[in-house]
């Protein structure tokens, strides 16, 4: 699988997942799994669209530009004899590094320090977000999150194409899932359901903890788990 194909599949699948999670939340069949079944309409749809639509386009364009601009540093496209263990190691190392660095960026730059707090407040406008609102944010925050992922990939990498595909997919898909408003208590989905509940608690206040987005480890280690 080529790098352009990976980008197309992950970005297209992210769009499909965003829409699917939105309609899943809207369906009465998920009432028992809703984290906030009486979600108020704090923001009108046209205001959400004015932020989310350009941010979606910006995120996709930035992902493509950064990937191809940093191609030789991110991905080893000529790697041969790639084993499953190699892929798992690259994915695990990259996402773990990202999880801890994002935790510090999120906690200090966006919450505890004042400099970029107004940037992050845009995202916290939605106290009870669902999938569409996962990209309701300031473009600076959008760029910083993706930029951090690219930096972590370069530190660990260049990684193989399969590893890069998994890294990008986990980063993209999990961001949608933790903003879905659904608890996912079914077998096999409880881990992501836990992260969704954890992140819903984070959105309730700018003073709430739960800063990590991939695993609960940073919050547990630094005692910011709520």
């Amino acid at each position: 699988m080529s790098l352009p194909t990976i980008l197309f599949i992950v970005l297209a699948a992210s769009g499909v997942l965003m829409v699917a999670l939105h309609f899943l939340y809207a369906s009465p069949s998920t009432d028992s799994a809703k984290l906030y079944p009486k979600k108020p309409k704090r923001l009108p749809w046209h205001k959400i669209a004015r932020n989310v639509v350009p941010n979606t386009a910006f995120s996709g364009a930035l992902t493509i530009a950064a990937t191809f601009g940093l191609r030789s540093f991110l991905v080893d496209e000529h790697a041969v004899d790639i084993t499953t263990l190699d892929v798992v190691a690259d994915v695990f190392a990259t996402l773990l590094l990202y999880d801890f660095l994002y935790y510090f960026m999120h906690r200090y730059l966006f919450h505890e320090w004042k400099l970029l707090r107004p940037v992050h407040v845009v995202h916290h406008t939605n106290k009870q977000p669902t999938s569409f609102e996962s990209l309701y944010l300031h473009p600076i925050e959008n760029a910083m999150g993706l930029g951090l992922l690219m930096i972590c990939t370069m530190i660990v990498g260049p990684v193989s194409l399969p590893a890069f595909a998994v890294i990008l997919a986990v980063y993209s898909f999990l961001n949608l899932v933790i903003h879905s408003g659904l608890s996912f208590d079914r077998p096999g989905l409880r881990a992501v359901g836990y992260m969704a509940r954890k992140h819903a608690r984070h959105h309730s206040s700018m003073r709430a903890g739960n800063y990590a987005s991939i695993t609960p480890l940073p919050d547990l280690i630094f005692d910011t788990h709520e």
Side-chain angles (χ1 to χ4, degrees):
M1 187 179 294
S2 68
L3 187 58
T5 302
I6 288 171
L7 286 172
F8 175 78
I9 290 175
V10 173
L11 292 176
S14 295
V16 171
L17 181 61
M18 177 187 284
V19 174
L21 287 172
H22 169 75
F23 283 105
L24 193 62
Y25 182 87
S27 171
S29 65
T30 61
D31 283 352
S32 62
K34 288 180 173 66
L35 293 176
Y36 18 82
K38 296 182 180 180
K39 181 176 186 267
K41 293 183 178 180
R42 287 193 170 90
L43 295 174
W45 274 109
H46 71 272
K47 186 172 182 179
I48 293 174
R50 279 204 307 264
N51 182 287
V52 170
V53 171
N55 259 310
T56 301
F58 175 66
S59 181
L62 190 61
T63 300
I64 294 169
T67 299
F68 284 106
L70 301 169
R71 191 170 188 166
S72 60
F73 301 100
L74 291 170
V75 183
D76 182 359
E77 298 179 71
H78 306 292
V80 295
D81 299 325
I82 300 299
T83 67
T84 301
L85 184 60
D86 294 328
V87 174
V88 170
D90 282 345
V91 170
F92 179 81
T94 302
L95 291 179
L96 187 64
L97 178 62
Y98 170 82
D99 203 26
F100 276 88
L101 292 183
Y102 178 81
Y103 169 88
F104 290 117
M105 181 177 79
H106 190 187
R107 177 179 177 179
Y108 292 105
L109 293 184
F110 291 151
H111 282 269
E112 295 193 11
W113 297 345
K114 294 182 179 179
L115 181 62
L116 291 177
R117 192 182 297 170
V119 167
H120 193 52
V121 163
V122 174
H123 187 56
H124 273 261
T125 301
N126 294 285
K127 301 297 183 185
Q128 298 178 336
T130 48
S131 60
F132 278 146
E133 294 150 339
S134 64
L135 282 171
Y136 190 97
L137 70 172
H138 196 288
I140 290 176
E141 181 175 353
N142 197 347
M144 288 177 68
L146 181 62
L148 183 61
L149 181 72
M150 296 297 174
I151 290 170
C152 292
T153 307
M154 287 190 291
I155 290 172
V156 174
V159 301
S160 65
L161 282 170
F164 184 74
V166 176
I167 291 165
L168 189 60
V170 171
Y171 169 81
S172 302
F173 299 167
L174 191 57
N175 182 55
L176 293 167
V177 170
I178 66 174
H179 287 96
S180 66
L182 297 167
S183 63
F184 297 102
D185 287 328
R186 302 255 178 126
L189 295 175
R190 288 187 178 128
V192 292
Y194 169 77
M195 291 302 295
R197 293 191 298 274
K198 178 177 176 293
H199 199 70
R201 169 62 186 140
H202 171 77
H203 264 270
S204 66
S205 168
M206 282 292 287
R207 297 183 180 276
N210 298 334
Y211 301 107
S213 64
I214 303 291
T215 74
L217 284 176
D219 286 303
L220 292 170
I221 291 172
F222 298 107
D223 197 28
T224 51
H225 171 76
E226 294 186 6

